[in-house]
Amino acid sequence: MKSDIILAGAGLASSLIALALRRARPDLSVLLLDTAPGPSDAHTWSFHDPDIPAAWHKALAPAKRGDWPDQEVRFPAHSRRLRAGYNSIDGAGLARLVAEAGAQVIHDATVTDLGAGHALLLDGRRFEAPCIIDGRGAQPGPHLVTGYQKFVGIEIECDAPHGVQRPVIMDATVPQRDGYRFIYLLPFSPTRILIEDTRYSDGADLQDAKLARASHDYAAAQGWTGREVRRERGILPIALAHDAAGFWRQRAEGPVPVGLRAGFFHPVTGYSLPVAVEVADLIAAQSDLKTGAVRRAVRDFALARAHQDRFLRLLNRMLFRGCPGPERYRLLQRFYCLPEPVIERFYAGRLTWADRLRIVTGKPPIPIRRALRCLPEKPLLKGDT
Ligand SMILES: Cc1cc2nc3c(=O)[nH]c(=O)nc-3n(C[C@H](O)[C@H](O)[C@H](O)COP(=O)(O)OP(=O)(O)OC[C@H]3O[C@@H](n4cnc5c(N)ncnc54)[C@H](O)[C@@H]3O)c2cc1C
């Protein structure tokens, strides 16, 4: 069976590429293969207004579960309302957009072998295309050293209005445990709210029951009673060191990795929607849609992005390696005192040199000697780098 382009995995990165391709080139046949039995409700993907261009806001609007004019952070020393709008899309909405765009999605399709021109499924079916893209999600490797953002979110339908007016992207007034801890709140309706207990930790072990209970306890402390209607969990990589050149040397053949598989995520937040949008636009703009040409374009983008993200990885090393767990919130507390345009450019991955200076100057939140120890990135990388 032949298509113009095959995307292995029908998650966030692949879906956005499919949307961009079908919008730019409606003549192309785009096929997505996913192991899951159907679209999942296990995700809500959120982003700040300035993270993506206006055309993408328009394109994603029908998939939105939430669209708020502002947001808020809370720390022991200060709380702040931030002017940037916040948005959430969900898996079902994104899948609907992909189908409406005319891309074909096959579920229950586990890819066992993926080459530069073919995809082979567990059940023996074989598909061919001149362009093969691999968006099957994160795959740990020696070129990326990470800490972790771990969370369990419970969505509850409250018995009475919860009173939360806007997303609280960090409520760090809670007791600090297992690294930097905060609660993330998304009020989807006056009575529906997602409560996510989140930890920036050194280890990837996620105790689901414990974090879910902590989210329920938070709800109870606010006086919210109701019924849990959905749960989500995540263990997101937080990049401490990245050897993108080494990674791409090992991907000189075969399919083109995208999404988390290619290390495309914001190093500090682990969120990937904004960079996935950029990669989707990049691929859709290619005149030569063959695996080799697309690989060159995506690799060049990846190398430039990894270079640009060096500063963000340094911040992570300071957070994870320079700061004891219970003290980590102080770095974030200080960051959220900065002018809003700096905060917005930080999330969108567009920090200027002046922004970087602004973030690190002033009274250091960690002792200077400890901060200096965090500077070098290379010693963290092992193996083929
Ligand atoms: C619960 C949760 C919430 C998150 N919230 C946000 C957020 O709000 N904003 C944000 O920007 N980021 C968020 N992230 C982080 C990140 O953006 C997501 O993990 C994102 O989905 C990564 O995109 P991806 O396309 O690389 O992988 P995925 O979206 O995970 O897609 C991978 C797909 O590949 C499929 N697959 C895997 N193996 C195979 C195989 N062998 N054959 C066929 N298919 C296969 C999977 O079924 C899956 O559908 C969240 C992550 C999680 C887990």
Side-chain angles (χ1 to χ4, degrees):
M1 285 181 261
K2 293 204 170 202
S3 313
D4 292 313
I5 182 158
I6 291 175
L7 298 143
L12 182 64
S14 293
S15 297
L16 295 178
I17 292 168
L19 287 181
L21 276 170
R22 291 283 308 168
R23 196 171 48 194
R25 305 264 307 269
D27 55 309
L28 289 179
S29 57
V30 178
L31 173 65
L32 297 90
L33 304 168
D34 201 288
T35 188
S40 142
D41 73 347
H43 282 101
T44 41
W45 289 294
S46 302
F47 53 98
H48 307 265
D49 271 0
D51 287 353
I52 64 171
W56 273 101
H57 273 283
K58 199 166 159 214
L60 295 177
K64 282 187 189 172
R65 271 199 78 195
D67 181 357
W68 300 272
D70 54 9
Q71 52 184 292
E72 191 179 324
V73 289
R74 299 175 189 163
F75 290 95
H78 68 91
S79 293
R80 187 172 180 191
R81 191 194 291 192
L82 298 162
R83 66 178 186 187
Y86 203 66
N87 313 265
S88 290
I89 60 170
D90 64 6
L94 187 58
R96 214 170 39 244
L97 288 186
V98 169
E100 285 166 8
Q104 189 194 356
V105 185
I106 304 182
H107 284 108
D108 276 323
T110 304
V111 176
T112 52
D113 181 40
L114 200 60
H118 75 274
L120 186 67
L121 301 191
L122 187 60
D123 61 14
R125 278 180 290 172
R126 183 184 166 92
F127 299 84
E128 293 183 356
C131 183
I132 306 278
I133 293 189
D134 188 359
R136 286 177 291 171
Q139 191 181 41
H143 303 108
L144 190 61
V145 180
T146 69
Y148 302 92
Q149 184 195 164
K150 303 182 300 197
F151 54 85
V152 174
I154 55 159
E155 192 171 315
I156 58 172
E157 179 60 33
C158 300
D159 300 327
H162 48 65
V164 177
Q165 303 296 326
R166 61 187 64 78
V168 180
I169 59 166
M170 286 180 185
D171 179 355
T173 59
V174 291
Q176 294 298 297
R177 290 184 198 130
D178 197 11
Y180 170 47
R181 173 178 179 230
F182 62 90
I183 303 283
Y184 172 81
L185 298 173
L186 289 184
F188 288 120
S189 82
T191 51
R192 180 68 68 92
I193 190 162
L194 175 72
I195 307 160
E196 213 153 80
D197 192 300
T198 308
R199 322 250 166 122
Y200 270 57
S201 311
D202 303 316
D205 56 306
L206 175 58
Q207 295 173 289
D208 288 73
K210 196 168 155 193
L211 267 69
R213 200 167 52 247
S215 295
H216 278 293
D217 288 347
Y218 181 90
Q222 313 303 311
W224 303 332
T225 55
R227 138 187 93 83
E228 180 179 333
V229 292
R230 192 180 72 85
R231 189 174 282 202
E232 64 178 49
R233 75 190 297 275
I235 306 171
L236 307 188
I238 301 299
L240 305 181
H242 187 193
D243 173 17
F247 173 88
W248 284 94
R249 267 199 302 278
Q250 286 195 348
R251 304 290 181 297
E253 289 170 357
V256 186
V258 295
L260 294 192
R261 209 168 193 82
F264 289 145
F265 57 88
H266 189 292
V268 182
T269 66
Y271 276 19
S272 72
L273 189 142
V275 65
V277 157
E278 281 188 69
V279 172
D281 280 340
L282 173 80
I283 292 177
Q286 298 306 305
S287 52
D288 183 4
L289 268 177
K290 299 218 181 51
T291 302
V294 172
R295 182 198 320 284
R296 282 191 290 280
V298 174
R299 184 199 55 205
D300 290 352
F301 171 89
L303 295 181
R305 175 53 68 105
H307 187 75
Q308 183 189 324
D309 283 349
R310 279 171 311 163
F311 175 75
L312 296 177
R313 294 194 295 275
L314 169 64
L315 292 183
N316 285 337
R317 291 197 295 282
M318 289 187 175
L319 186 67
F320 279 85
R321 301 286 159 99
C323 208
E327 297 300 313
R328 285 180 188 164
Y329 78 93
R330 289 184 194 282
L331 269 82
L332 281 300
Q333 183 168 269
R334 180 174 179 273
F335 171 79
Y336 278 103
C337 291
L338 291 169
E340 291 195 45
V342 179
I343 295 171
E344 288 165 13
R345 288 193 289 272
F346 166 84
Y347 277 113
R350 291 194 291 266
L351 284 176
T352 64
W353 280 103
D355 294 339
R356 293 171 205 206
L357 260 180
R358 192 142 199 178
I359 289 171
V360 291
T361 48
K363 185 174 174 297
I366 60 176
I368 194 75
R369 201 180 293 168
R370 240 194 278 154
L372 287 174
R373 274 210 312 267
C374 299
L375 285 179
E377 177 169 13
K378 262 214 147 320
L380 293 187
L381 293 157
K382 310 186 263 304
D384 173 27
T385 57

